[in-house]
Amino acid sequence: MKKTVVTLLALAFTAGNACSAFAAGPAGFARGLTGNSAVSYISEKGKIIPPFAQVLFCAQNPSECRDNNGLAVVALTDRQMLQLKDVNTAVNRTMIGRNDSRNELNGDVWKVNVRSGDCEDFALTKRSRLIAMGWSSRALRIATAYTPSGEGHAVLVVRTDKGDLVLDNRESSIKNWRDTDLRWDKIQSGTDPYVWYRL
């Protein structure tokens, strides 16, 4: 395991920080889930080097990167949808959006359960809270993308029988991945946090 982490750290550091994530506050037009949305899943392409900051995060927080051997696709009930909405809203309201300091690892440090942070810190905190509520880690994946203005961004993607749903710190609505304004970049594997795919 240590050899894998060291190898991935070296590869990720060599590749550089491919996606810088910025803190973004609530904004945009909220078009939530509708009954007309077809079930749709993000289609992964080939494997890609994970973000360096994510590899470092997992090395420092192994319990946050453990596979709990749950289901890869959650059958979404009304109760679970309410949990998603509650967690998304609570984290978006209580965390303060703040970009990482440029002095911290090229301006990109991933943290969980903090009072303030940027977009991946919001996504990691939502993931952590849902896992604590009994959700499968395999259905909760971090994805990176670009906003319409070209800023790097990270969100939590939840794989359900209703499609891949996005929990974004920029808004309170939970949307199907196709209904967002994001240009997708890469996504974490459900079974191995050290494996990422191009989108």
Side-chain angles (χ1 to χ4, degrees):
M1 178 67 175
K2 283 187 177 182
K3 185 177 179 183
T4 302
V5 171
V6 171
T7 303
L8 285 169
L9 281 171
L11 286 171
F13 187 75
T14 303
N17 183 9
C19 175
S20 72
F22 294 86
F29 220 75
R31 187 174 59 159
L33 291 175
T34 65
N36 298 334
S37 295
V39 174
S40 175
Y41 297 104
I42 292 175
S43 177
E44 297 103 359
K45 301 195 176 36
K47 289 182 182 177
I48 192 167
I49 295 172
F52 174 68
Q54 184 266 340
V55 175
L56 189 58
F57 170 80
C58 286
Q60 295 171 340
N61 303 277
S63 64
E64 293 290 338
C65 298
R66 227 175 255 132
D67 177 11
N68 67 9
N69 296 314
L71 297 172
V73 178
V74 173
L76 195 64
T77 64
D78 289 342
R79 177 178 169 271
Q80 288 170 315
M81 189 64 199
L82 183 60
Q83 287 179 335
L84 287 181
K85 289 178 180 177
D86 287 348
V87 166
N88 194 52
T89 300
V91 173
N92 287 354
R93 284 187 181 161
T94 58
M95 276 185 69
I96 299 166
R98 178 188 64 83
N99 287 334
D100 291 327
S101 163
R102 287 283 162 209
N103 298 328
E104 296 180 284
L105 194 67
N106 295 325
D108 193 25
V109 177
W110 289 28
K111 299 176 289 268
V112 65
N113 298 318
V114 289
R115 291 182 185 206
S116 65
D118 57 8
C119 53
E120 76 275 352
D121 306 329
F122 279 80
L124 289 166
T125 299
K126 291 171 189 179
R127 183 179 184 275
S128 181
R129 288 190 185 182
L130 288 166
I131 289 172
M133 296 167 82
W135 283 69
S136 167
S137 63
R138 291 185 177 194
L140 305 171
R141 303 188 295 162
I142 306 298
T144 60
Y146 294 94
T147 65
S149 65
E151 288 182 325
H153 193 51
V155 294
L156 178 63
V157 175
V158 183
R159 181 148 285 188
T160 76
D161 60 349
K162 305 288 192 278
D164 280 331
L165 307 181
V166 177
L167 280 65
D168 192 335
N169 67 298
R170 298 177 304 146
E171 56 188 78
S172 58
S173 293
I174 295 173
K175 297 181 178 182
N176 182 284
W177 72 280
R178 286 184 182 243
D179 296 332
T180 69
D181 62 357
L182 297 171
R183 184 168 43 90
W184 296 97
D185 179 39
K186 55 187 150 190
I187 192 166
Q188 186 176 39
S189 162
T191 56
D192 186 346
Y194 295 100
V195 174
W196 283 65
Y197 297 98
R198 284 184 300 106
L199 296 176

